[in-house]
Structure formats: C-alpha cells, structure tokens
C-alpha cells in the first residue's frame, strides 16, 4: 500500500490522528526533505525509517520504493508541507504505483490552495488550481493568457520574491479583477488581503512569508455568448489582455475552427 500523507502547512495541530498512526505503522517514509520531516516525526514521536524522495532523485529512488512496495511493504509519502503531489513530489510515485497495480491510499489534511479558497470570499462552486506559473517570461504569458477566459475562480502558488511581478502580470493579462492574497496560512501572521489586483499591488508592502493568490474568474459580463460574431469574440479576448495572435487562437477554439478561418472571417466581417 502506498499512502499519500498530508502534513501541516504551518500549525502542527493540523496533523491528523490518522497521519500519525499511518506514519508510525508503515515500513518506510519517503520524504521530500528528510531533515525537515525528521523534526515533524520527532515532535510526534514517530521512529519509522525515512528515504529522500525529491525532484532530483525521483526515478532512482522511485524504483527502489516500487520494489519494496511490490515485496509487500507499505510506504508513506510526505512532502515538506501539505498534500504530497500538489505542487510537490509524489505524483510520479503514484503513477509508478498505479501502473504496477499497487493500491494508493489518501491520508487527507492541510492544503494551502483549498485553505485560501474557502476563506477568500470568492466563488467556491467552480475553481481551477493553477499552481506555480512557469518561470520563463514567454511561457508565463502564454499560461496566463490561456487562463484569462476561464469562468471559475483561479488559485495560484508563487514564491514571495516573485509575488509583486506576478501580480503586475496578472493585472496586465486578466484586467483589474478581484483577488485575495492568503498569507502565512495557519501560522501566527496569517492574514487575508482582499481587493482589486491594482489595490493589492498598491497596498502590498514588504513581501514576507508564503502566499496563495486567489483570483476571480472571467466576469460573466465578459463571457462569450454563443450568438456573438467572431470579431466580437476576438474583441473580448483582446479586452481581457490577450495579444491578437492569442485572441485569434482562443476564438478558433471557441468556434472549433482553424485560426486561418478566424482570420478570414474577421476580414470578411470588417469589410461588411
Ligand atoms: N503541497 C503543498 C500544499 O498542499 O499546499 C504546496 C507546496 S508548494 C511547494 C509551496 C507553495 O504553497 C508556497 O509557495 C505557497 O504558495 C503555498 N503555501 C504553502 N504553505 C503555505 C502557507 N502556510 N500559507 C500560504 N501559502 C502557503
């Protein structure tokens, strides 16, 4: 059995009874950072052997873990904080295990994205977890442009030193939407900063601690109605901050036709 075990994202009281029991009972704990996890295990009086499982060693160690699972041992995966496999190592191990027919079992608990979402005050009926944006400028722009038309609350993770730049880009691509910065969740300095993206950028002082960014989806008033013309749809994507090429690509998807057809239709509509 492979257990995916949640650990606290700040407050140690968020460790669950079940997580403690499972971590005591398994044969091996696969941890992202063994030194960090050691502190947690010591706090809860857990003495199970550990192995490092992170991005750099995941294929070698993954194979080792798989062999032990196939031999009938049980293994728990933990990340530094929160749910393993959510913007953290673990997903590959789950894939290896699933392919090998090994049972995978969740041990739920703390998670930064959902904790931020439920306190955001934004729509929780439909949401999209986007995780970390790509680091290169072009990939990040493309990534944000693809999200600009999503009609659901969007949740991002971002490192503190990149937060201000990221908010600036969000404002450029998404327009001035409502957003929430959830800071230091479950910790002493927990706080929620709410406002339009421009207001958050203005009021945000020194960026300290960990943040989740929750942004409202494309406002319904801007959503595309099926009876709209190609040029109206393209105009809306442009107004949402996309460049012309991306706007035409998105319109092509929306009408389920090629970009060339969108281009030709635009020309026709313009001359009518
Ligand atoms: N696996 C974790 C989870 O389930 O939430 C996420 C790990 S990811 C590597 C780390 C990112 O999660 C941080 O950069 C930050 O965006 C967010 N995060 C983690 N803990 C947080 C906290 N206590 N408060 C706010 N954001 C947090």
């Amino acid at each position: 059995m492979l257990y995916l075990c949640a650990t606290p994202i700040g407050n140690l009281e968020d460790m669950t009874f079940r997580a403690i029991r499972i971590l005591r009972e398994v044969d091996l704990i696969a941890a992202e950072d063994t030194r960090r996890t050691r502190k947690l295990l010591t706090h809860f009086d857990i003495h199970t052997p550990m192995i490092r499982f992170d991005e750099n060693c995941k294929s070698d160690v993954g194979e080792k873990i798989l062999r032990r699972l196939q031999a009938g041992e049980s293994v728990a995966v933990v990340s530094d904080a929160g749910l393993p496999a959510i913007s953290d190592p673990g997903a590959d191990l789950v894939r290896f295990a699933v392919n090998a027919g090994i049972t995978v079992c969740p041990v739920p608990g703390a998670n930064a994205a959902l904790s931020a979402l439920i306190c955001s005050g934004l729509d929780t009926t439909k949401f999209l977890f986007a995780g970390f944006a790509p680091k290169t400028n072009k990939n990040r722009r493309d990534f944000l442009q693809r999200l600009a038309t999503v009609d659901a609350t969007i949740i991002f993770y971002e490192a503190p030193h990149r937060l201000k730049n990221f908010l600036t880009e969000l404002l450029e691509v998404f327009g001035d939407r409502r957003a929430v910065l959830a800071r230091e969740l479950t910790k002493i300095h927990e706080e929620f900063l709410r406002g339009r993206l421009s207001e958050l950028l203005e009021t945000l002082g020194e960026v300290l601690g960990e943040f989740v960014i929750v942004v409202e989806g494309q406002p319904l008033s801007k959503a595309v109605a099926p009876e709209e013309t190609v040029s109206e749809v393209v105009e809306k994507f442009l107004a949402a901050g996309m460049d012309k090429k991306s706007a035409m690509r998105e319109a092509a998807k929306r009408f389920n036709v090629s970009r060339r057809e969108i281009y030709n239709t635009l020309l026709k509509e313009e001359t009518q």
Side-chain angles (χ1 to χ4, degrees):
M1 180 84 92
L2 178 68
Y3 294 96
L4 281 259
C5 229
T7 55
I9 55 169
N11 192 325
L12 287 179
E13 285 179 355
D14 291 333
M15 188 74 175
T16 68
F17 292 122
R18 184 163 170 240
I20 297 171
R21 178 177 63 75
I22 300 280
L23 290 176
R24 282 191 185 136
E25 286 176 3
V26 289
D27 298 295
L28 182 69
I29 297 173
E32 184 182 3
D33 179 341
T34 45
R35 263 189 305 181
R36 231 178 124 155
T37 301
R38 172 73 56 214
K39 286 187 194 147
L40 182 83
L41 299 189
T42 306
H43 183 86
F44 289 105
D45 199 21
I46 298 167
H47 303 281
T48 309
M50 254 195 300
I51 189 168
R52 190 181 179 101
F53 179 76
D54 62 14
E55 279 303 317
N56 303 321
C57 66
K58 66 183 177 194
S59 47
D60 290 354
V61 178
E63 264 180 43
K64 230 185 256 175
I65 294 173
L66 200 59
R67 276 200 297 274
R68 292 186 63 166
L69 285 164
Q70 283 168 325
E73 291 192 55
S74 54
V75 178
V77 189
V78 297
S79 66
D80 285 352
L83 287 175
I86 299 294
S87 299
D88 264 334
D92 295 297
L93 202 49
V94 173
R95 221 176 3 258
F96 298 151
V98 169
N99 288 340
I102 288 164
T103 311
V104 179
C105 175
V107 183
N111 165 252
L114 290 180
S115 304
L117 175 72
I118 58 173
C119 293
S120 67
L122 299 175
D123 181 17
T124 58
T125 56
K126 226 177 353 156
F127 59 88
L128 186 149
F129 173 66
F132 288 98
K135 292 203 178 60
T136 59
N137 290 343
K138 167 145 194 344
N139 292 349
R140 195 169 52 251
R141 269 279 151 160
D142 288 350
F143 169 84
L144 290 179
Q145 279 170 347
R146 280 197 301 276
L147 292 172
T149 53
V150 168
D151 168 26
T153 304
I154 308 176
I155 308 168
F156 297 97
Y157 286 162
E158 191 49 285
H161 63 280
R162 279 194 286 265
L163 183 68
K164 278 195 178 167
N165 274 349
F166 182 63
L167 291 177
T168 309
E169 282 192 270
L170 267 182
L171 176 60
E172 283 167 15
V173 180
F174 279 27
D176 204 6
R177 295 196 196 168
R178 291 186 303 149
V180 179
L181 301 180
R183 175 174 172 253
E184 293 285 88
L185 290 161
T186 78
K187 303 184 198 174
I188 297 170
H189 297 294
E190 175 180 277
E191 71 176 330
F192 295 93
L193 305 167
R194 298 182 174 86
R196 299 258 160 206
L197 285 165
S198 61
E199 293 163 347
L200 293 172
L201 267 165
E202 252 171 50
T203 50
L204 194 65
E206 199 186 350
V207 182
L208 292 173
E210 295 192 284
F211 286 84
V212 177
I213 304 110
V214 189
V215 190
E216 72 177 336
Q218 186 185 53
L220 269 184
S221 59
K222 286 200 181 154
V224 179
E227 64 275 12
E228 283 173 309
T229 65
V230 167
S231 55
E232 281 168 342
V233 170
V234 171
E235 274 307 315
K236 282 194 173 161
F237 286 130
L238 290 172
M242 287 189 189
D243 58 34
K244 192 144 191 202
K245 203 168 147 200
S246 313
M248 293 206 332
R249 189 184 56 218
E250 287 307 314
K253 274 194 225 154
R254 196 61 69 108
F255 287 95
N256 203 17
V257 295
S258 70
R259 216 162 50 187
R260 173 150 291 281
E261 274 181 77
I262 293 290
Y263 179 74
N264 290 340
T265 315
L266 276 179
L267 283 181
K268 247 190 262 160
E269 284 181 12
E270 272 166 23
T271 53
Q272 270 168 7

